Amino acid sequence: MKKFSPLSKDFPHLLLGGDYNPEQWLDSPEILAADMELMKEADCNEMSMGIFSWDSLEPEEGVFQFDWLDERMDSIYKNGGRVILATPSAARPRWLAEKYPEVMYAPRPDRRHLFAKRQNQCLRSPVYQEKVRIIDEMLAKRYANHPALIAWHLSNEYYGRDCRCQTCRLQFREWLRRRYDNDLKKLNHAWWTPNWSRQVQSFDQIEPPENGYGEVMIPGMNLDWKRFCSDTVYDFVKLERDAVKKYSDKPVTTNCMNFFERYDHRKVATLLDFYSNDTYPTWWEGLSDDVVARYACFSALCRGMMDGKPFIQMESAPGINMAHNNFRMLKSTQLQIFEAMLFLAHGSDSVLYFQWRKGRGGCEKYHGAVVDHYGKTDNRVFQAVKTIGGMMKNMDGVVGTTICADVAIVSDYETRWAINGELEYNKDRNGYQAMTEGSFAALFKQNVAADVIGYGADFSKYKFLILPPPYMMTPALAKKIKTYVQNGGRVVSFYMAGMVDENDLTHLGGAPGCGLRELFGLRIDEMTCYDISIGKCGYENAVTYGGITYPARKHAEIPVLEGAKALGSYQKDFFAGTAALTQAAYGKGQAYYVAFQPEQSFLDAFFTDVLQAAGIQGIRAVRGDGHIRVSCREGDGERYYFVFNTSETETQSVILEEPMTDLLTGAKVTAKTSLPPLGVAVFQA
Ligand code: GAL
C-alpha cells in the first residue's frame, strides 16, 4: 500500500485547526493579532476561512474587498499556518437575495424563503450559479498562488434542498425526459401509474412530489425526485469545482456529512481531489463499544469514498456541541483526546474543529471553540486542544497511510432512498443504516477492520462482503455479487434482498430477484413488519441461533429453502421453526441470508462465527483485554497501531508481539503495557 496525502506534498503534516471567521472581528485588530499567537500556542497549523464570508468579500454587487482576507492569509502563513480557503456559496449576501429573489429556496412553487439563515438557496437558479461562479473565480485567481493556500473547501455542507421553484419544476421535467428517452410509456411503466388512475399524458403535467397538496404516493417518482435533487448538488459542486480549477491547481474538497442522505455523496466524491467530512460525536448515549464503533464507521465510509485513501476530518466540536442534539454534554479532556485520536485511527489526516473562536453574538456563540470568550489559554478546552496538538506533532509519519481491510460493507445511496421510501412494509426508516453501523460494530469489537464501499468498488480485494438490505437490484449488480462468491468470496445479505429494480418495481418470479435466489438458495415467500415502537403492539418474533434466542422486533420474512441450510429459526407464531437465517454454498464461496432485522446482540454473535469460519482474525500484533480496540494504518512499509481503551472505569493491559515506539511518549515499548480508562496509545512498528 502506497501512502497518499490528500493535501499538497509541501505540507506533509497532520492538520489541526478549523473554521476561522475573522470577518466577525475586523474592527478588533487586537483579537486578530491574538489569534495568531494563540494558533501557535495551541500547536494549530490550519485555518479554514471564508466559509460564510460572502458579504464581507462582495458587500455590493460587483464591488469586491479582499484586503482583510489578504492580510489574514499573509499573517497565518507568517505564523507557520496554512489555509483551506472556502467558496462562500453556503450563505448568500442580502443584496443578492433582494435584487434576485429567485435565488432563494422555494419549498412550494408559490412560497419562497425570505432572506434568512443559510444553505437555503436554489442551486438551479441561473443567477445564483452565475454569481457564485464570479466570486469563486475571483477568489481562485487571487489566491491560487498564495503560499498559505493548501486546498479549496467548496461551499459548506451542501444541503440538497428539494427546491420546487419554477426553474426546478421545469428542470425536473427536462431531467425526466432525458431519463425516459422522452418516452411517456417508459415513465408510466416505471411509475406504475395506472395504479389509482394516475397516468401521465405529457411531461408538462408533472409536478415535484410535495407532501401537503401534491403527490408523494408514487415510490418510483419519489425516487426520481431524490435522484434529481442529488444531481442538483452534483451539478453545483461541478460548477464550483470548475470555477476554482480554472485558476488554481490546489486540491478541492467539500465537507460531507457521514450518512446524510439528501444527496449521493459517492457521486459527488468523483468530483473531488480528496474527501472531507464533518462529524460531531455526541457521546451522551454513554461510552460503549457500539457508540465508539459508530464514529469509526463514519470514518470507514469516508475512506471508502476514495478507494481507501485518507480523508480530512473537517469539523467536530472542541468542547461543547450546541447544534447537533438537544443535550449539551461537556466532554472531559480525556474524551476530547480520545475523539481526536479516533478520527486519526480510522483514516483522517486531520483534526479540524468548528470553531476556532467563539463569536460574541449570533446563534453559535456558545458552541465549543478552541478560543473561548475568555480569550486566554489557561482554560480546559484550549489546553485539551494544545495537548492534542502536541501529540499530533509526533505523528507526521501517519500522513497518507491508510487501513487495509479484509471486509467491506456495501452501502448504496439509491438503495437506501428506495428502502427508506418504501411505503408499506418498511416502517423503520433507520434499518439500512442500523445494519450498516451494527455490522461494523460487531467487527470493530473483534478488532477487524472494515471499509464502507459502494457498488462500483472492486469487490475482489475483500474476503468478505456485507450487504445491508440490498433491496434494489439490477442484473449487472447481481452478476457482480454472484461472480464474487463464485470465486470464493463470502457474502452476508440482510433481509428484503433483490425485491425491486432501479424504478422500485418488484422483480417478478420470486425474490431475491435477478438470479439471487440461486445464490442464496432460497425464495422469500412472505414478510411481516412489526410495530416499530416496541411495546405498543406486543407483536414481535424471536430467533434462536447457536442455542440463544434473540429478538426480531421489526421485520421478519419467511424464506422457502431451495438448497440453503437453516442456521437459526423463528420461535413464535404460525411460522415458528422455519428458517430465519441461512447459509448456502455457491461456487467456491458462501452466501448467508439474514431474513429478519436483528439487534446488536445477534450481530455480535453471528459475525463472530462467520468471521471465524472465513478465517478472518482481528489484529494480532497489538491486542489486549476486552476493552482494547486497535486499528492499523499503513503505507510505504510503515505501520501505526492506534490503541484505545474504551472502558471509562477499568485499566486494560495491552500485549505487543514485537517492540514498538510509542509515538505519543517517544518510549520504546516491548512486550506488555497498559492503558488507563479512555487511554489512547499510538505505536509505530
Ligand atoms: C456544521 C456547520 C458549521 C457549524 C456547525 C455547528 O454543520 O457546517 O458551520 O454550524 O455545524 O456544530
Side-chain angles (χ1 to χ4, degrees):
M1 186 58 96
K2 277 209 75 56
K3 285 190 185 181
F4 166 86
S5 170
L7 295 165
S8 53
K9 286 172 203 69
D10 37 307
F11 199 67
H13 308 290
L14 295 174
L15 301 183
L16 178 67
D19 285 23
Y20 178 40
N21 304 309
E23 67 276 12
Q24 297 176 14
W25 299 96
L26 294 182
D27 55 1
S28 309
E30 68 293 354
I31 295 277
L32 298 179
D35 281 333
M36 296 299 95
E37 292 311 310
L38 294 168
M39 179 181 87
K40 285 184 287 186
E41 175 68 19
D43 277 326
C44 285
N45 57 10
E46 188 278 349
M47 293 285 187
S48 310
M49 277 203 294
I51 301 172
F52 298 107
S53 310
W54 197 340
D55 69 356
S56 303
L57 295 168
E58 190 181 1
E60 287 170 49
E61 185 173 9
V63 177
F64 298 93
Q65 56 182 29
F66 293 111
D67 45 342
W68 65 270
L69 188 54
D70 294 347
E71 188 281 327
R72 284 292 86 189
M73 296 279 292
D74 294 347
S75 292
I76 292 169
Y77 185 68
K78 255 189 244 142
N79 286 285
R82 294 291 186 276
V83 172
I84 297 182
L85 190 57
T87 63
S89 63
R92 77 291 88 174
R94 197 176 281 272
W95 59 257
L96 181 56
E98 264 170 18
K99 181 155 180 206
Y100 309 100
E102 68 269 36
V103 304
M104 295 305 295
Y105 162 72
R108 295 169 28 166
D110 60 345
R111 188 168 292 178
R112 263 186 201 289
H113 273 200
L114 296 174
F115 173 80
K117 303 181 197 165
R118 62 178 178 178
Q119 286 149 317
N120 54 356
Q121 293 77 245
C122 171
L123 298 187
R124 288 197 180 262
S125 151
V127 183
Y128 193 63
Q129 294 185 351
E130 179 58 7
K131 294 295 167 192
V132 167
R133 192 189 55 71
I134 293 171
I135 184 79
D136 287 6
E137 286 188 7
M138 296 286 286
L139 284 164
K141 221 187 286 179
R142 191 170 188 97
Y143 297 106
N145 299 314
H146 197 287
L149 181 76
I150 47 173
W152 292 98
H153 178 303
L154 301 181
S155 200
N156 189 70
E157 294 186 342
Y158 288 102
Y159 200 73
R161 288 248 187 214
D162 47 353
C163 183
R164 295 177 184 80
C165 71
Q166 183 65 355
T167 304
C168 290
R169 285 168 79 213
L170 298 179
Q171 291 201 21
F172 182 45
R173 291 172 191 163
E174 286 314 306
W175 186 95
L176 290 168
R177 278 200 171 91
R178 287 196 299 277
R179 179 167 173 83
Y180 294 104
D181 305 323
N182 212 11
D183 182 346
L184 278 172
K185 250 175 104 180
K186 285 189 185 168
L187 177 135
N188 278 304
H189 176 72
W191 291 5
W192 209 250
T193 51
N195 170 245
W196 295 1
S197 208
R198 288 176 288 180
Q199 296 183 67
V200 180
Q201 286 98 16
S202 149
F203 280 93
D204 297 332
Q205 295 168 332
I206 298 171
E207 294 294 341
E210 201 279 340
N211 193 11
Y213 65 97
E215 178 67 83
V216 284
M217 299 295 275
I218 301 180
M221 179 189 190
N222 295 345
L223 198 53
D224 279 341
W225 176 245
K226 286 210 152 75
R227 290 181 173 122
F228 170 78
C229 293
S230 179
D231 283 359
T232 303
V233 174
Y234 175 92
D235 292 343
F236 201 85
V237 177
K238 184 165 183 316
L239 177 147
E240 293 215 70
R241 183 203 65 169
D242 292 349
V244 163
K245 291 257 171 186
K246 191 166 166 191
Y247 296 101
S248 171
D249 57 7
K250 286 284 150 68
V252 165
T253 193
T254 184
N255 47 342
C256 298
M257 293 163 283
N258 303 313
F259 285 99
F260 184 78
E261 64 165 73
R262 290 260 191 103
Y263 68 90
D264 185 336
H265 286 45
R266 210 161 257 126
K267 227 167 158 182
V268 165
T270 62
L271 295 169
L272 309 175
D273 296 308
F274 65 95
Y275 198 74
S276 66
N277 192 53
D278 297 349
T279 308
Y280 288 84
T282 49
W283 302 119
W284 54 265
E285 311 91 321
L287 203 111
S288 67
D289 278 309
D290 293 324
V291 173
V292 178
R294 177 183 312 144
Y295 300 118
C297 181
F298 292 169
S299 294
L301 175 77
C302 297
R303 299 195 308 266
M305 290 290 172
M306 294 229 169
D307 207 18
K309 293 183 176 117
F311 63 98
I312 289 296
Q313 183 63 42
M314 194 63 91
E315 289 181 25
S316 60
I320 205 160
N321 177 335
M322 296 303 286
H324 295 268
N325 56 68
N326 293 323
F327 184 60
R328 284 73 158 100
M329 198 191 94
L330 286 174
K331 278 181 255 190
S332 70
T333 299
Q334 192 51 37
L335 189 53
Q336 189 83 55
I337 294 169
F338 186 98
E339 177 184 301
M341 294 298 132
L342 194 67
F343 295 137
L344 300 178
H346 292 277
S348 172
D349 273 4
S350 68
V351 178
L352 302 181
Y353 292 119
F354 179 87
Q355 47 191 342
W356 164 254
R357 178 188 278 280
K358 289 180 184 174
R360 288 192 69 187
C363 56
E364 296 183 316
K365 62 179 174 295
Y366 295 120
H367 190 291
V370 181
V371 182
D372 187 69
H373 297 134
Y374 169 55
K376 302 276 192 293
T377 62
D378 58 346
N379 59 320
R380 196 180 61 85
V381 173
F382 188 93
Q383 286 301 319
V385 174
K386 183 174 161 64
T387 304
I388 292 165
M391 294 163 89
M392 288 170 69
K393 272 210 299 207
N394 302 330
M395 292 166 61
D396 279 351
V398 172
V399 175
T401 57
T402 190
I403 293 202
C404 301
D406 284 338
V407 184
I409 303 171
V410 194
S411 168
D412 175 62
Y413 284 84
E414 294 205 356
T415 304
R416 209 163 123 217
W417 295 336
I419 194 167
N420 287 352
E422 215 302 306
L423 300 170
E424 291 174 77
Y425 265 99
N426 176 41
K427 302 290 181 224
D428 177 23
R429 302 278 178 258
N430 196 35
Y432 193 82
Q433 194 169 332
M435 294 305 98
T436 306
E437 291 180 11
S439 302
F440 186 93
L443 307 177
F444 181 80
K445 289 177 220 173
Q446 309 271 329
N447 292 322
V448 169
D451 289 339
V452 179
I453 60 170
Y455 284 146
D458 174 10
F459 293 169
S460 69
K461 63 180 193 196
Y462 299 100
K463 293 187 187 150
F464 214 110
L465 287 188
I466 298 168
L467 308 176
Y471 176 61
M472 185 189 273
M473 189 57 58
T474 60
L477 176 60
K479 189 166 168 220
K480 185 170 175 180
I481 296 169
K482 282 168 87 175
T483 307
Y484 168 76
V485 181
Q486 182 96 49
N487 293 335
R490 287 166 183 254
V491 68
V492 171
S493 170
F494 287 94
Y495 55 97
M496 284 181 100
M499 304 208 77
V500 299
D501 70 5
E502 69 276 18
N503 297 315
D504 201 48
L505 294 177
T506 56
H507 290 298
L508 298 181
C514 299
L516 289 184
R517 273 171 69 183
E518 192 197 3
L519 173 69
F520 293 108
L522 55 78
R523 176 173 66 79
I524 301 166
D525 196 28
E526 288 190 272
M527 57 184 185
T528 182
C529 159
Y530 299 127
D531 193 319
I532 57 158
S533 41
I534 297 157
K536 252 198 190 157
C537 78
Y539 181 55
E540 59 178 55
N541 215 310
V543 169
T544 298
Y545 166 69
I548 298 175
T549 300
Y550 300 92
R553 294 197 175 110
K554 292 184 176 170
H555 174 93
E557 54 205 30
I558 311 174
V560 172
L561 303 192
E562 299 174 330
K565 66 174 181 202
L567 298 179
S569 54
Y570 291 109
Q571 290 305 301
K572 292 188 187 167
D573 219 330
F574 69 90
F575 53 101
T578 62
L581 171 70
T582 64
Q583 179 179 5
Y586 185 80
K588 294 188 204 144
Q590 296 290 326
Y592 298 86
Y593 191 77
V594 183
F596 67 107
Q597 185 173 330
E599 296 182 7
Q600 193 63 43
S601 54
F602 169 85
L603 294 173
D604 291 345
F606 175 60
F607 278 111
T608 304
D609 296 344
V610 290
L611 288 177
Q612 200 182 6
I616 299 172
Q617 268 194 333
I619 293 172
R620 301 294 297 160
V622 180
R623 56 187 190 273
D625 292 342
H627 284 289
I628 291 298
R629 299 288 156 256
V630 188
S631 71
C632 176
R633 285 187 66 166
E634 48 192 293
D636 293 352
E638 293 162 30
R639 269 178 298 134
Y640 300 89
Y641 291 95
F642 287 76
V643 191
F644 297 80
N645 175 3
T646 59
S647 168
E648 289 180 281
T649 50
E650 292 165 38
T651 295
Q652 302 273 283
S653 30
V654 178
I655 298 162
L656 286 79
E657 274 191 349
E658 54 181 287
M660 297 188 191
T661 308
D662 182 337
L663 283 191
L664 305 182
T665 61
K668 274 261 174 258
V669 184
T670 49
K672 201 168 169 188
T673 181
S674 67
L675 280 181
L678 294 187
V680 185
V682 185
F683 298 124
Q684 180 174 11

